[in-house]
Amino acid sequence: MTAADTKAAGPPPVPVPRGPEVTGPSSPAKDAKPRARRQRKKGELLPYLLILPAILAIAAVYVYPLIKTVIMSFQDMGRAALWGNGETPWVGFEQFTNILGDPEFWQVTGRTVVFMTICVVLTMGIGLLIALMMLRLSTWVRLVLTVALIAAWSMPLMVAASVFRWLADSDYGLINTLLADLTGNEDWLGHNWFLDPWQGFGIITLLVVWGAVPFVVITMYAALTQVPKELEEAASLDGASAFGVYRFVTWPVIKPVFTMVATLSVIWDFNVFGQIWLLRGNKPEPEYETLGLYSFSKAFESTSFSQGSAIALITVLMLSGVAVYYLRQLIKTGEVE
């Protein structure tokens, strides 16, 4: 290399010693991503943390008794085994085969289905009619009616049962007095409504429907207020009758809510227990037994706890289809919303 070449290339680069790496604060953009991820993770966990106490309470109140019921239904637990005297023998499906082969079980099941059907039809029909009527009432009348419905809804079952026992009392009942005055037949005075199971179930049905109608009315009225008024007016202008407007405009809007409330009513009325128990003085006759009372009498009056558990489990299986249908409707409604 000549001197000219060395001058043109310049001085050789001076090596810079590598010091320790700088560990100062990173850029804001790099810190923002982990922080957002942590916040998002906290936000995703928050609903589960809030619902955790309810899940634990449901597990303690429902899941453990259900597991215990399933276990007892495959055993033969009597009074001695309940108090820990001796081991409880396993009998497999013997309890189920005995119950399903008993004609009394099917008689009680048929009575329960008929009673439930009548209660649901009356509850949904009366509730829907009152909800439709509320749309045409003035504001203050609708407010008074709503307060009355809520008061009836919030009344304790024992109080409501006492009122209906007084109404149907054979000696001092208001129903007998009114019928005697209206018909002029004094034979109604002293009439015992519970001697005939059909008449007795009529009084029980009145109590069940009376307690369930307020919920149906308030729910259906809320659904009816969501029907677009302009669609109803357009249908009326096109010549549709009042029934046609309801059939083709109102009903499709309120149908999901009606279906869900009817499904809930089926579950509630299938498991009616307290109304019959209280109206019959805490000792209902066999003619008034529905599946809930039948299971109770087998378990605690006949001290066959395993048989009562098996009947309760069969009832749960019968209602599981209704519960699945209800959940399906609930999911479909959520998807629409």
Side-chain angles (χ1 to χ4, degrees):
M1 181 179 292
T2 64
D5 294 337
T6 305
K7 187 176 180 180
V14 178
V16 178
R18 298 184 61 183
E21 294 183 356
V22 179
T23 57
S26 58
S27 62
K30 290 183 178 179
D31 288 345
K33 291 183 179 178
R35 191 181 304 117
R37 193 178 299 115
R38 287 195 297 271
Q39 291 178 351
R40 187 167 57 250
K41 188 174 291 183
K42 288 182 180 178
E44 293 174 352
L45 291 176
L46 183 60
Y48 297 100
L49 293 176
L50 292 175
I51 204 173
L52 182 60
I55 293 176
L56 294 176
I58 291 173
V61 175
Y62 289 102
V63 176
Y64 175 74
L66 182 60
I67 294 174
K68 191 67 177 176
T69 300
V70 173
I71 294 174
M72 288 176 60
S73 63
F74 290 98
Q75 296 176 329
D76 188 13
M77 177 176 283
R79 187 185 297 274
L82 180 66
W83 293 103
N85 298 327
E87 294 184 358
T88 305
W90 293 86
V91 296
F93 289 92
E94 183 180 342
Q95 301 290 354
F96 295 94
T97 55
N98 291 338
I99 292 168
L100 296 177
D102 187 0
E104 185 183 6
F105 169 77
W106 294 109
Q107 187 178 0
V108 173
T109 302
R111 183 186 303 136
T112 305
V113 172
V114 172
F115 173 70
M116 176 270 297
T117 303
I118 294 174
C119 288
V120 171
V121 171
L122 289 177
T123 301
M124 297 305 300
I126 295 173
L128 182 59
L129 288 176
I130 296 177
L132 289 170
M133 183 185 67
M134 288 178 68
L135 291 175
R136 292 160 177 79
L137 296 176
S138 60
T139 303
W140 70 271
V141 175
R142 187 166 56 247
L143 180 62
V144 171
L145 181 58
T146 303
V147 172
L149 289 170
I150 294 175
W153 192 12
S154 60
M155 183 177 292
L157 176 59
M158 185 161 294
V159 178
S162 300
V163 171
F164 274 80
R165 284 189 69 176
W166 170 73
L167 290 174
D169 187 81
S170 58
D171 296 326
Y172 308 102
L174 183 63
I175 296 176
N176 288 351
T177 304
L178 288 176
L179 288 175
D181 291 340
L182 292 174
T183 61
N185 187 357
E186 297 293 331
D187 292 339
W188 284 111
L189 299 175
H191 178 72
N192 191 339
W193 290 86
F194 292 99
L195 287 179
D196 184 358
W198 285 99
Q199 295 182 9
F201 268 109
I203 302 298
I204 297 169
T205 301
L206 287 178
L207 175 58
V208 173
V209 172
W210 180 83
V213 159
F215 171 74
V216 177
V217 173
I218 294 173
T219 306
M220 294 310 303
Y221 175 73
L224 287 169
T225 56
Q226 304 303 313
V227 179
K229 299 299 179 187
E230 57 272 18
L231 292 181
E232 293 181 334
E233 294 174 358
S236 299
L237 291 175
D238 288 341
S241 62
F243 179 76
V245 173
Y246 175 80
R247 170 69 179 82
F248 296 105
V249 178
T250 306
W251 174 251
V253 177
I254 67 172
K255 182 181 176 182
V257 178
F258 184 90
T259 304
M260 290 176 59
V261 176
T263 307
L264 284 176
S265 297
V266 169
I267 296 174
W268 292 336
D269 294 342
F270 201 87
N271 290 317
V272 164
F273 182 94
Q275 290 88 341
I276 303 174
W277 180 266
L278 292 172
L279 283 180
R280 296 310 305 132
N282 303 338
K283 194 171 180 59
E285 299 83 351
E287 293 81 9
Y288 286 93
E289 284 184 344
T290 55
L291 276 177
L293 290 164
Y294 185 61
S295 172
F296 181 85
S297 65
K298 287 291 183 182
F300 295 99
E301 294 180 5
S302 302
T303 63
S304 178
F305 303 105
S306 294
Q307 201 169 17
S309 300
I311 296 171
L313 194 60
I314 292 173
T315 305
V316 172
L317 293 176
M318 286 180 178
L319 290 175
S320 59
V322 183
V324 170
Y325 180 75
Y326 169 73
L327 292 175
R328 185 182 174 188
Q329 293 297 322
L330 198 65
I331 294 172
K332 287 172 64 176
T333 304
E335 290 176 350
V336 171
E337 292 176 352

Short mmCIF file of all heavy atoms in Angstrom, two decimals, residues 197-220:
data_model
loop_
_atom_site.label_atom_id
_atom_site.label_comp_id
_atom_site.label_asym_id
_atom_site.label_seq_id
_atom_site.Cartn_x
_atom_site.Cartn_y
_atom_site.Cartn_z
N PRO A 197 -112.39 -35.42 45.53
CA PRO A 197 -111.07 -34.97 45.07
C PRO A 197 -111.13 -34.01 43.88
O PRO A 197 -110.29 -33.11 43.77
CB PRO A 197 -110.37 -36.28 44.70
CG PRO A 197 -111.04 -37.33 45.50
CD PRO A 197 -112.48 -36.89 45.60
N TRP A 198 -112.11 -34.19 42.99
CA TRP A 198 -112.21 -33.27 41.85
C TRP A 198 -112.51 -31.85 42.32
O TRP A 198 -111.91 -30.87 41.85
CB TRP A 198 -113.30 -33.75 40.88
CG TRP A 198 -112.88 -34.93 40.07
CD1 TRP A 198 -113.19 -36.23 40.31
CD2 TRP A 198 -112.04 -34.93 38.91
NE1 TRP A 198 -112.61 -37.04 39.37
CE2 TRP A 198 -111.90 -36.28 38.50
CE3 TRP A 198 -111.41 -33.94 38.19
CZ2 TRP A 198 -111.15 -36.64 37.39
CZ3 TRP A 198 -110.65 -34.29 37.08
CH2 TRP A 198 -110.53 -35.63 36.70
N GLN A 199 -113.46 -31.72 43.27
CA GLN A 199 -113.77 -30.40 43.80
C GLN A 199 -112.60 -29.86 44.63
O GLN A 199 -112.29 -28.67 44.58
CB GLN A 199 -115.03 -30.47 44.66
CG GLN A 199 -116.29 -30.83 43.87
CD GLN A 199 -117.52 -30.84 44.75
OE1 GLN A 199 -117.50 -30.42 45.90
NE2 GLN A 199 -118.63 -31.32 44.20
N GLY A 200 -111.97 -30.76 45.39
CA GLY A 200 -110.82 -30.32 46.19
C GLY A 200 -109.68 -29.83 45.32
O GLY A 200 -109.06 -28.79 45.61
N PHE A 201 -109.40 -30.55 44.23
CA PHE A 201 -108.36 -30.09 43.31
C PHE A 201 -108.76 -28.79 42.62
O PHE A 201 -107.91 -28.04 42.17
CB PHE A 201 -108.04 -31.16 42.28
CG PHE A 201 -106.91 -32.07 42.70
CD1 PHE A 201 -107.14 -33.37 43.04
CD2 PHE A 201 -105.60 -31.58 42.76
CE1 PHE A 201 -106.10 -34.20 43.44
CE2 PHE A 201 -104.56 -32.39 43.15
CZ PHE A 201 -104.80 -33.70 43.49
N GLY A 202 -110.07 -28.54 42.51
CA GLY A 202 -110.51 -27.25 41.96
C GLY A 202 -110.08 -26.09 42.85
O GLY A 202 -109.59 -25.07 42.37
N ILE A 203 -110.25 -26.25 44.17
CA ILE A 203 -109.79 -25.22 45.12
C ILE A 203 -108.27 -25.09 45.08
O ILE A 203 -107.72 -23.99 45.09
CB ILE A 203 -110.27 -25.55 46.54
CG1 ILE A 203 -111.80 -25.69 46.58
CG2 ILE A 203 -109.81 -24.48 47.51
CD1 ILE A 203 -112.55 -24.43 46.22
N ILE A 204 -107.57 -26.23 45.03
CA ILE A 204 -106.10 -26.19 44.97
C ILE A 204 -105.64 -25.51 43.67
O ILE A 204 -104.68 -24.73 43.68
CB ILE A 204 -105.54 -27.62 45.07
CG1 ILE A 204 -105.90 -28.23 46.42
CG2 ILE A 204 -104.03 -27.62 44.87
CD1 ILE A 204 -105.62 -29.72 46.52
N THR A 205 -106.33 -25.79 42.57
CA THR A 205 -105.98 -25.16 41.30
C THR A 205 -106.15 -23.64 41.38
O THR A 205 -105.31 -22.88 40.86
CB THR A 205 -106.84 -25.73 40.16
OG1 THR A 205 -106.65 -27.14 40.09
CG2 THR A 205 -106.50 -25.10 38.83
N LEU A 206 -107.23 -23.19 42.04
CA LEU A 206 -107.43 -21.74 42.20
C LEU A 206 -106.26 -21.12 42.95
O LEU A 206 -105.77 -20.04 42.59
CB LEU A 206 -108.75 -21.48 42.95
CG LEU A 206 -110.04 -21.71 42.18
CD1 LEU A 206 -111.24 -21.45 43.09
CD2 LEU A 206 -110.11 -20.78 40.96
N LEU A 207 -105.79 -21.79 44.00
CA LEU A 207 -104.66 -21.26 44.77
C LEU A 207 -103.38 -21.22 43.94
O LEU A 207 -102.64 -20.22 43.97
CB LEU A 207 -104.46 -22.13 46.02
CG LEU A 207 -103.24 -21.79 46.89
CD1 LEU A 207 -103.28 -20.35 47.37
CD2 LEU A 207 -103.13 -22.75 48.08
N VAL A 208 -103.11 -22.29 43.19
CA VAL A 208 -101.89 -22.34 42.38
C VAL A 208 -101.94 -21.27 41.28
O VAL A 208 -100.96 -20.54 41.07
CB VAL A 208 -101.72 -23.74 41.77
CG1 VAL A 208 -100.55 -23.76 40.79
CG2 VAL A 208 -101.50 -24.78 42.86
N VAL A 209 -103.07 -21.16 40.59
CA VAL A 209 -103.19 -20.18 39.51
C VAL A 209 -103.12 -18.76 40.07
O VAL A 209 -102.47 -17.88 39.49
CB VAL A 209 -104.50 -20.42 38.73
CG1 VAL A 209 -104.74 -19.30 37.72
CG2 VAL A 209 -104.45 -21.76 38.03
N TRP A 210 -103.79 -18.53 41.20
CA TRP A 210 -103.77 -17.21 41.82
C TRP A 210 -102.35 -16.77 42.17
O TRP A 210 -101.98 -15.61 42.03
CB TRP A 210 -104.64 -17.23 43.07
CG TRP A 210 -104.70 -15.94 43.79
CD1 TRP A 210 -105.51 -14.87 43.52
CD2 TRP A 210 -103.92 -15.57 44.93
NE1 TRP A 210 -105.27 -13.86 44.40
CE2 TRP A 210 -104.30 -14.26 45.28
CE3 TRP A 210 -102.95 -16.21 45.69
CZ2 TRP A 210 -103.73 -13.58 46.36
CZ3 TRP A 210 -102.38 -15.55 46.75
CH2 TRP A 210 -102.78 -14.25 47.08
N GLY A 211 -101.53 -17.70 42.62
CA GLY A 211 -100.16 -17.35 42.97
C GLY A 211 -99.24 -17.20 41.78
O GLY A 211 -98.21 -16.52 41.89
N ALA A 212 -99.58 -17.83 40.65
CA ALA A 212 -98.68 -17.81 39.49
C ALA A 212 -99.03 -16.74 38.47
O ALA A 212 -98.16 -16.33 37.69
CB ALA A 212 -98.69 -19.18 38.81
N VAL A 213 -100.28 -16.28 38.45
CA VAL A 213 -100.70 -15.32 37.42
C VAL A 213 -99.92 -14.00 37.48
O VAL A 213 -99.56 -13.45 36.43
CB VAL A 213 -102.23 -15.08 37.53
CG1 VAL A 213 -102.64 -13.77 36.89
CG2 VAL A 213 -102.97 -16.23 36.88
N PRO A 214 -99.64 -13.41 38.65
CA PRO A 214 -98.91 -12.13 38.65
C PRO A 214 -97.59 -12.18 37.89
O PRO A 214 -97.27 -11.25 37.13
CB PRO A 214 -98.69 -11.85 40.14
CG PRO A 214 -99.82 -12.54 40.82
CD PRO A 214 -100.05 -13.78 40.02
N PHE A 215 -96.80 -13.23 38.06
CA PHE A 215 -95.54 -13.33 37.33
C PHE A 215 -95.77 -13.37 35.82
O PHE A 215 -95.06 -12.70 35.05
CB PHE A 215 -94.79 -14.59 37.77
CG PHE A 215 -93.57 -14.90 36.95
CD1 PHE A 215 -92.41 -14.15 37.08
CD2 PHE A 215 -93.59 -15.94 36.02
CE1 PHE A 215 -91.30 -14.43 36.32
CE2 PHE A 215 -92.48 -16.23 35.25
CZ PHE A 215 -91.33 -15.48 35.40
N VAL A 216 -96.77 -14.13 35.40
CA VAL A 216 -97.06 -14.23 33.96
C VAL A 216 -97.52 -12.89 33.42
O VAL A 216 -97.09 -12.46 32.33
CB VAL A 216 -98.12 -15.33 33.72
CG1 VAL A 216 -98.48 -15.40 32.24
CG2 VAL A 216 -97.61 -16.68 34.19
N VAL A 217 -98.39 -12.20 34.16
CA VAL A 217 -98.92 -10.92 33.69
C VAL A 217 -97.79 -9.89 33.52
O VAL A 217 -97.67 -9.23 32.47
CB VAL A 217 -99.99 -10.39 34.67
CG1 VAL A 217 -100.41 -8.97 34.27
CG2 VAL A 217 -101.19 -11.30 34.67
N ILE A 218 -96.96 -9.76 34.53
CA ILE A 218 -95.90 -8.75 34.47
C ILE A 218 -94.90 -9.07 33.36
O ILE A 218 -94.46 -8.19 32.62
CB ILE A 218 -95.20 -8.66 35.85
CG1 ILE A 218 -96.20 -8.12 36.89
CG2 ILE A 218 -93.97 -7.78 35.79
CD1 ILE A 218 -95.69 -8.15 38.30
N THR A 219 -94.56 -10.35 33.21
CA THR A 219 -93.60 -10.74 32.17
C THR A 219 -94.18 -10.54 30.78
O THR A 219 -93.52 -10.00 29.88
CB THR A 219 -93.19 -12.20 32.36
OG1 THR A 219 -92.72 -12.39 33.70
CG2 THR A 219 -92.07 -12.57 31.40
N MET A 220 -95.42 -10.95 30.58
CA MET A 220 -96.03 -10.82 29.26
C MET A 220 -96.32 -9.37 28.92
O MET A 220 -96.25 -8.98 27.76
CB MET A 220 -97.32 -11.66 29.19
CG MET A 220 -97.10 -13.16 29.30
SD MET A 220 -95.85 -13.81 28.19
CE MET A 220 -96.47 -13.31 26.61
#
